[in-house]
Amino acid sequence: MTKVIHTENAPKAIGPYVQAVDLGNLVLTSGQIPVNPQTGDVPSDIVKQARQSLENVKAIIEQVGLTVADIVKTTVFVKDLNDFAAVNAEYEAFFRENNHPAFPARSCVEVARLPKDVGIEIEAIAVRK
């Protein structure tokens, strides 16, 4: 049975979708843009945007009792692939700080535009063991 996941610690959906779904052994998040859920602010710096998007994913995963270490796949959407090195460094730091045993599988693609004109959006798949 599919359960809808919602937490106040991540931004509310800005369209007809949910923050994530729990399929029992898999949790799939919707793409998380770098909106601070408490203030609604979006950092201007791409590194801070990457961190906020990752923190939003983390909040959703933790809502169902999982941790960052349970994330097995991410998809990163960036508005400018020239930001890849900076985003990649912050991504690596985040997963190391959160004791990921390796790194998740990942895709990273450049897109023309993202909601609210942010520079990044990140979605994740986590596995319940």
Side-chain angles (χ1 to χ4, degrees):
M1 180 173 184
T2 302
K3 292 191 317 189
V4 172
I5 300 169
H6 175 76
T7 177
E8 294 297 321
N9 296 322
K12 292 181 173 125
I14 57 173
Y17 61 91
V18 297
Q19 290 174 329
V21 292
D22 186 338
L23 303 177
N25 64 331
L26 288 177
V27 174
L28 295 86
T29 75
S30 292
Q32 295 301 302
I33 61 174
V35 173
N36 179 308
Q38 281 73 44
T39 66
D41 294 339
V42 174
S44 58
D45 177 73
I46 192 62
V47 172
K48 291 179 181 167
Q49 284 193 24
R51 176 56 68 141
Q52 184 65 60
S53 290
L54 288 163
E55 291 294 342
N56 293 343
V57 167
K58 178 182 177 182
I60 293 166
I61 296 297
E62 288 180 342
Q63 179 68 21
V64 293
L66 299 177
T67 69
V68 170
D70 297 310
I71 297 173
V72 296
K73 170 74 167 80
T74 62
T75 304
V76 179
F77 305 93
V78 292
K79 198 157 68 170
D80 185 351
L81 207 49
N82 290 318
D83 291 331
F84 181 77
V87 167
N88 198 48
E90 190 64 19
Y91 181 96
E92 179 179 4
F94 174 83
F95 281 97
R96 287 192 190 281
E97 289 166 19
N98 285 281
N99 302 311
H100 201 283
F103 291 102
R106 177 182 73 185
S107 300
C108 182
V109 296
E110 182 180 71
V111 295
R113 193 164 180 211
L114 291 163
K116 297 189 178 251
D117 287 321
V118 298
I120 191 167
E121 180 173 347
I122 301 173
E123 63 183 27
I125 300 171
V127 173
R128 184 173 282 113
K129 297 172 180 112

